[in-house]
């Protein structure tokens, strides 16, 4: 596949023109992370008029608090910063899933696709697919029939969805794509539930998500091909998530400038494979 020419719409990780910031160690980052996670913010209004299904308000508060109390996430954050920064770097970065060439992924030998939910397929706290992604998701279904699933730190996580009712509602809303039920938030935990569902090694699967330190770190730890998307709707996110995103971007851009690269994947020979410019 030919290399895609640089586009103003494609995310770039270029050296900043800002004065260089001192590289923070994990001793600095963990206190900062702990301090920020107690801040709160009210949810913004849904921007999409036809996104009608959403998470109940009681669940919204549980999740807003839960995102501030993810102790495993804090420990993982510190570990990655201190010892394994390459795990936070995706194999491929795109604006959204419309830029992914699903047929090319299947041709290379991948056997299934695992999606994050919030800000990857839906607006945060919504159970409806982001409308402009419908065609691309159908192309994904065609390339991987019956081999698509959602693995989320919200819907399907037993902490927030103990009876699976929200997972079933999402499955119905987006056309039967299976939501994997699980106990532990990304990036902690194993890939056992995912590998059991797909019947293959994680190295034959694609992990698609919008967060460096959850989706990408989790995927790289377990051998997935990792694809990072830009968030769909930042206005809906809690304050802490917005701040952590900024910190993640500072760190990731610095690591790119230092020449760090993501873990190698045996089925991918170059980063521009499996991407395309979407038709308008």
């Amino acid at each position: 596949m030919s290399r895609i020419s640089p586009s103003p719409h494609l995310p770039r990780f270029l050296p900043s023109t800002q004065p260089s910031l001192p590289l923070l160690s994990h001793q600095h980052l963990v206190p900062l992370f702990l301090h920020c996670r107690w801040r709160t913010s009210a949810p913004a209004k849904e921007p999409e008029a036809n996104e009608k299904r959403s998470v109940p308000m009681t669940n919204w508060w549980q999740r807003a608090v839960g995102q501030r109390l993810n102790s495993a996430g804090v420990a993982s954050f510190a570990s990655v910063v201190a010892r394994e920064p390459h795990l936070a770097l995706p194999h491929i970065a795109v604006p959204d899933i419309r830029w992914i060439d699903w047929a090319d992924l299947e041709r290379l030998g991948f056997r299934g696709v695992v999606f994050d939910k919030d800000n990857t397929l839906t607006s945060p706290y919504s159970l409806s697919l982001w409308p402009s992604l419908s065609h691309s998701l159908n192309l994904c279904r065609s390339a991987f029939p019956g081999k698509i699933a959602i693995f989320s730190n919200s819907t399907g996580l037993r902490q927030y969805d103990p009876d699976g009712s929200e997972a079933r509602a999402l499955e119905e809303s987006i056309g039967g794509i299976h939501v994997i039920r699980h106990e532990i938030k990304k990036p902690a935990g194993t890939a056992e539930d995912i590998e059991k569902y797909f019947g293959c090694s994680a190295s034959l699967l694609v992990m698609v998500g919008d967060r460096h330190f959850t989706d990408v770190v989790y995927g790289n730890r377990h051998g997935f091909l990792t694809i990072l998307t830009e968030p769909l709707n930042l206005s809906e996110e809690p304050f802490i998530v917005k701040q952590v995103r900024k910190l993640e971007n500072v760190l990731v851009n610095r690591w790119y400038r230092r020449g760090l690269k993501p873990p190698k994947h045996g089925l991918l020979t170059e980063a521009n494979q499996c991407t395309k410019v979407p038709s308008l």
Side-chain angles (χ1 to χ4, degrees):
M1 183 176 179
S2 60
R3 185 179 295 272
I4 294 178
S5 300
S7 163
H9 302 290
L10 283 170
R12 302 179 185 178
F13 300 98
L14 299 177
S16 172
T17 57
Q18 303 276 339
S20 179
L21 297 173
L23 181 60
L24 300 176
S25 70
H26 67 288
Q27 289 93 344
H28 297 91
L29 290 169
V30 173
L32 174 61
F33 190 82
L34 290 169
H35 171 74
C36 290
R37 65 193 179 98
W38 293 102
R39 300 290 299 274
T40 60
S41 64
K45 187 178 180 180
E46 283 280 352
E48 298 292 323
N50 55 350
E51 286 196 41
K52 297 179 180 179
R53 307 187 69 170
S54 61
V55 176
M57 183 58 68
T58 52
N59 249 3
W60 184 91
W61 280 107
Q62 289 175 349
R63 292 174 189 192
V65 172
Q67 287 178 330
R68 296 162 178 78
L69 300 175
N70 187 354
S71 56
V74 175
S76 175
F77 185 97
S79 174
V80 169
V81 171
R83 295 187 294 273
E84 303 173 298
H86 64 291
L87 292 183
L89 307 181
H91 296 104
I92 299 171
V94 292
D96 59 54
I97 68 169
R98 294 175 298 171
W99 296 74
I100 302 172
D101 190 331
W102 304 111
D104 206 21
L105 285 168
E106 192 278 333
R107 180 186 61 80
L108 288 175
F110 291 99
R111 294 176 54 183
V113 181
V114 184
F115 289 100
D116 178 45
K117 173 192 172 290
D118 295 321
N119 261 332
T120 301
L121 292 180
T122 76
S123 184
Y125 314 115
S126 171
L127 298 179
S128 298
L129 180 68
W130 193 262
S132 63
L133 304 182
S134 178
H135 178 62
S136 179
L137 195 58
N138 286 336
L139 292 177
C140 185
R141 283 190 179 100
S142 297
F144 298 98
K147 295 295 182 178
I148 305 174
I150 291 172
F151 190 75
S152 168
N153 276 1
S154 57
T155 303
L157 182 69
R158 290 190 174 90
Q159 178 182 352
Y160 303 134
D161 189 19
D163 62 355
S165 59
E166 188 178 311
R168 290 190 294 273
L170 180 62
E171 289 167 344
E172 179 183 348
S173 174
I174 60 177
I177 295 177
H178 180 65
V179 176
I180 295 175
R181 281 63 163 176
H182 60 109
E183 299 280 355
I184 303 174
K185 292 179 181 179
K186 296 173 287 186
T190 71
E192 182 179 355
D193 291 334
I194 296 176
E195 291 178 326
K196 182 178 179 180
Y197 175 75
F198 284 94
C200 67
S201 166
S203 63
L204 297 177
L205 301 173
V206 180
M207 172 68 66
V208 183
D210 66 297
R211 295 291 306 280
H212 284 281
F213 279 78
T214 54
D215 307 307
V216 174
V217 167
Y218 175 86
N220 283 337
R221 273 183 178 157
H222 298 293
F224 293 81
L225 178 78
T226 53
I227 301 181
L228 180 78
T229 63
E230 295 178 4
L232 295 171
N233 184 9
L234 287 173
S235 68
E236 294 294 318
E237 286 191 329
F239 174 84
I240 176 54
V241 178
K242 295 177 184 177
Q243 302 311 306
V244 173
R245 279 191 190 277
K246 293 177 182 178
L247 180 57
E248 288 179 356
N249 288 335
V250 169
L251 293 169
V252 167
N253 285 331
R254 182 173 294 279
W255 292 332
Y256 275 117
R257 291 197 297 272
R258 287 172 49 193
L260 270 64
K261 296 181 179 180
K264 289 186 178 180
H265 196 287
L267 296 182
L268 190 75
T269 58
E270 58 177 295
N272 279 341
Q273 279 185 290
C274 310
T275 61
K276 63 179 183 179
V277 177
S279 57
L280 300 178

